[in-house]
Amino acid sequence: MIAYIDGKLALKDPTYVIVDVNGIGYQIKISLNTYSSLPEGERCKLHTYLHIKEDAHTLYGFTTAAEKDTFLHLISISGVGPNTGLMILSSLTVDEVQQAIVREDVRTIQHVKGIGAKTAQRIILELKDKIKKESMLAGTTAVPVSAHNTSRAEALSALVTLGFAKNVAEKTLDAIIKREDRSLSVEELIKFALKSS
C-alpha cells in the first residue's frame, strides 16, 4: 500500500525512526542494519511494508529494496511474523540470511532470538529455491554497516523494546562489554546480545 517514504529523519532509534514528510511524522519500525546505514537528521528514503492487524497498522522500513524483499520472504513463512522477520534482519545481514538459507545452515538462523529449530528448517525449506533463483538473476549486495559511538543505555533500551527483560539485557550487555574489551557500537552490542540469548 505504501511502497516507500521519503522525508527528513526527525528521530532515529535502534528499533524505529520517525520520518517527517511535509509536516506529518511517520513512525516506522526498522532493523539494526537499516539503523546503522541511516544518516542522522538528514533526508532519507525507506522502502516500506504496511502490516495491518485488527488493533494496529504498523509500518516497517528498509534502506534497500533487497532487505525489504528478504523481509517479505521471511514473513511469508508460517510462524514468522513481522517482528520476528525484523529480529532476523537485525541479527544477520541480508547476505548472511540468504547464504544461510542457500547453504541450509539451520544453526545460523536458529541463533536468532525466538527462532527454534523447526522454524529455521521451515524458513530454509520454503525459501531455498526462491533465494537461489533470485540470486542467479541479480547479484545481491549487503547493507552497508557504519560504526556509531553510541552507549550501552541505547543498546539496553533497544533490547527491552525487542522483548528482553531489563535485568537479563543488562547482564548480557555487561558480559559482552567485559568479554570484547574494546569500544563497541550500539549495533554490535545488540547483535552480540541477540546471538548470546
Side-chain angles (χ1 to χ4, degrees), residues 38-140:
L38 283 173
E40 202 93 36
E42 290 179 29
R43 189 177 179 86
C44 71
K45 178 179 175 180
L46 290 174
H47 301 271
T48 56
Y49 166 75
L50 178 62
H51 182 66
I52 298 174
K53 287 195 313 194
E54 256 178 51
D55 58 345
H57 289 207
T58 310
L59 271 172
Y60 294 85
F62 313 93
T63 45
T64 65
E67 191 180 15
K68 179 182 174 180
D69 291 343
T70 304
F71 173 79
L72 293 174
H73 285 326
L74 289 168
I75 65 170
S76 71
I77 307 300
S78 168
V80 179
N83 289 332
T84 305
L86 214 55
M87 183 74 80
I88 293 169
L89 289 169
S90 288
S91 303
L92 306 165
T93 65
V94 171
D95 270 5
E96 286 169 341
V97 172
Q98 292 178 346
Q99 284 167 13
I101 290 168
V102 170
R103 291 182 186 148
E104 299 184 36
D105 183 357
V106 176
R107 284 187 68 173
T108 296
I109 296 170
Q110 212 180 320
H111 275 298
V112 177
K113 182 182 185 284
I115 301 285
K118 281 186 177 165
T119 306
Q121 287 164 349
R122 197 179 311 123
I123 289 170
I124 289 168
L125 185 71
E126 292 186 34
L127 294 181
K128 192 174 69 173
D129 293 340
K130 214 179 275 186
I131 300 285
K132 274 184 183 171
K133 191 190 286 182
E134 282 178 11
S135 58
M136 279 167 55
L137 293 172
T140 52

